[in-house]
Amino acid sequence: MSRVVVAGGSGSLGRALVADLLGRGADVVVLTRRPDPTWAVRQEQWDGRTVGPWAALLDDGARPVRVVNLAGRLVDVRPTDANVASLRSSRVDATRALVAASRAASRPVARWVQMSTTAIWSDGGEQRITEGTPLPDPGLPQMTGVAEPWEDAVRGAHAEHVVTLRTSLVLQPGSPVVGRLELLTRLGLGGKVGTGRQWVSWIHVDDWLALVRGALGLDDPALPGGVLVASAPTPVRNAELMATLRAVTGRRVGLPTPAPVARLGSWLLRSDPALGLTGRHCTSDVLAGLGWRFRHPTLEPALRDVFGRG
């Protein structure tokens, strides 16, 4: 089994990926700013900005090396100029360091999975978005303005195969975003946000993990290089998401959150109101063309699985 280097793998999604790969016998190494001594996986410290001793992990002459780049600060912050700059640099600097390390290696990285986000399309309105949809110009600074340079930073990587995974909302047990949604319903605020008509594209963590394995060439079918939308085939309106969430969690009351209240609440929570008030209808033409089968193609069964209510 080849080595898989996971940059920024200490978050909830990264830990799920590491556990999945370890369970399949992969040799996994995590690059992290703060190694966790309680985590039973090999971890190498890096600063997420500069090339250091960790770069030797990308130069294994005996076997191919694969890279998954998840590095970046969590986006759930106020969209101030300073925070947007920090979100951007945490992703771009880490990616550039990985690219520089790959270019110094004696052989190319076999497969590189570059994390990105469907928020690169900012607020998509009613547009049906797929891999070939052009990016907005200009887009929202905290969305397109962060994700576009993040993707651009991987150009020039010494890699045979690069997949840029534009990922939608990941439904994962215990993740911060699922925790936030559950809290809203518990407080009786699980109604529509704003108009409730904004589209929500989503994917169950099991399907996201399967896509990463396919992008790494560890599962069939191996996925082609280029941009890939990681989203279930059935986006829903915000109002449907919240109604389904209430049904799954057994909450009868779901007061709506008008846009001004959402903005105020986001300010109090040091969050970004655009996370709830904007949306995108994103699906993958690439996966449809491959006949890809999702384990969780529709929302309610996916949420029941996430909350253990199956």
Side-chain angles (χ1 to χ4, degrees), residues 50-229:
T50 57
V51 177
W54 58 266
L57 295 168
L58 273 61
D59 196 4
D60 188 338
R63 55 184 176 164
V65 175
R66 291 166 163 82
V67 168
V68 182
N69 180 22
L70 306 176
R73 182 185 176 191
L74 289 176
V75 300
D76 195 7
V77 294
R78 289 176 182 166
T80 64
D81 290 345
N83 278 339
V84 171
S86 176
L87 290 172
R88 183 167 51 246
S89 63
S90 70
R91 288 159 172 75
V92 171
D93 292 350
T95 303
R96 287 176 176 167
L98 286 167
V99 168
S102 76
R103 293 179 67 84
S106 59
R107 61 186 294 182
V109 170
R111 284 186 172 250
W112 184 307
V113 178
Q114 174 70 24
M115 185 67 161
S116 185
T117 170
T118 54
I120 197 169
W121 283 290
S122 291
D123 190 356
E126 293 301 305
Q127 184 179 29
R128 297 311 196 254
I129 294 170
T130 67
E131 285 86 357
T133 302
L135 301 185
D137 183 20
L140 295 174
Q142 73 272 38
M143 293 184 177
T144 307
V146 170
E148 188 172 14
W150 188 17
E151 291 188 6
D152 288 344
V154 79
R155 293 177 182 174
H158 190 210
E160 295 174 348
H161 189 96
V162 178
V163 177
T164 300
L165 206 60
R166 291 182 181 170
T167 300
S168 57
L169 171 68
V170 179
L171 300 179
Q172 176 190 6
S175 70
V177 66
V178 168
R180 179 65 61 86
L181 289 171
E182 185 178 23
L183 175 62
L184 289 174
T185 60
R186 192 163 62 244
L187 295 175
L189 300 174
K192 66 181 182 179
V193 178
T195 67
R197 291 190 54 75
Q198 61 272 33
W199 286 104
V200 179
S201 297
W202 60 275
I203 187 170
H204 190 286
V205 65
D206 290 347
D207 288 314
W208 184 84
L209 292 171
L211 290 178
V212 175
R213 292 195 304 271
L216 290 172
L218 300 178
D219 261 4
D220 292 327
L223 296 176
V227 171
L228 179 67
V229 170

Side-chain angles (χ1 to χ4, degrees), residues 6 12-22 68 70 208-209 212:
V6 182
S12 60
L13 198 56
R15 286 178 180 255
L17 175 62
V18 168
D20 182 77
L21 294 174
L22 287 174
V68 182
L70 306 176
W208 184 84
L209 292 171
V212 175

